Amino acid sequence: CDWSSDVCSSDLDLASVVNGVEIGLRQDFAIPHVALRLWRGEGELPAFESVSEPTRLFAGGLTQPQCSPLPAVDTASLFGQAAAGLKSYAYLPLRDGEGFGLLAMASEDERRFYPDMGTLFLSRLSDIVSAAAVRYL
């Protein structure tokens, strides 16, 4: 999807959606670390890399985005070698009635995502990414 447009082209596929989300968050919102994982469906995309059962349970229990100075359960591994330097995290559940994924964002800036921050924008982002991805699962 083009972040400046309300409409997604009908010729998009899941890879385009995932790449668009990741690139858009990094470039347009300056979020340095983005990890999107899906556990419904299958494919060769990094989004289908396996996640632990604790991560799935954590994501399944989220009713709204969660921000924290510490990684939830074992989610730091989603960020690879960068994990050691990360100081704030935001977790967005991806769902369509039931959970099918997680959008995790992180930053070296400890003030980027914090527990008391408003999550209205993150909730909307969760809804949009969920709706865009579920079409292809």
Side-chain angles (χ1 to χ4, degrees):
C1 291
D2 178 353
W3 289 99
S4 62
S5 169
D6 291 346
V7 179
C8 290
S9 171
S10 62
D11 63 348
L12 288 180
D13 60 8
L14 184 58
S16 299
V17 171
V18 170
N19 290 333
V21 168
E22 292 174 348
I23 290 168
L25 289 171
R26 285 188 185 107
Q27 292 180 354
D28 297 339
F29 296 98
I31 298 171
H33 305 280
V34 178
L36 192 148
R37 293 296 184 272
L38 303 168
W39 40 87
R40 184 187 302 164
E42 56 185 59
E44 299 297 318
L45 297 174
F48 288 113
E49 289 177 9
S50 66
V51 295
S52 70
E53 188 63 21
T55 295
R56 286 183 185 207
L57 291 172
F58 165 73
L62 291 175
T63 57
Q64 62 186 18
Q66 178 178 315
C67 299
S68 172
L70 300 172
V73 293
D74 59 359
T75 59
S77 64
L78 297 175
F79 301 103
Q81 293 190 9
L86 301 178
K87 297 180 180 166
S88 64
Y89 302 84
Y91 299 100
L92 288 65
L94 301 179
R95 57 179 61 247
D96 69 337
E98 66 178 60
F100 64 85
L102 178 69
L103 175 58
M105 301 176 286
S107 176
E108 292 84 0
D109 179 356
E110 61 194 23
R111 297 174 308 213
R112 182 62 191 257
F113 304 110
Y114 53 93
D116 295 331
M117 74 182 288
T119 58
L120 181 61
F121 176 77
L122 296 177
S123 291
R124 184 67 178 130
L125 180 60
S126 177
D127 293 343
I128 292 168
V129 173
S130 293
V134 77
R135 295 176 52 195
Y136 303 102
L137 300 178

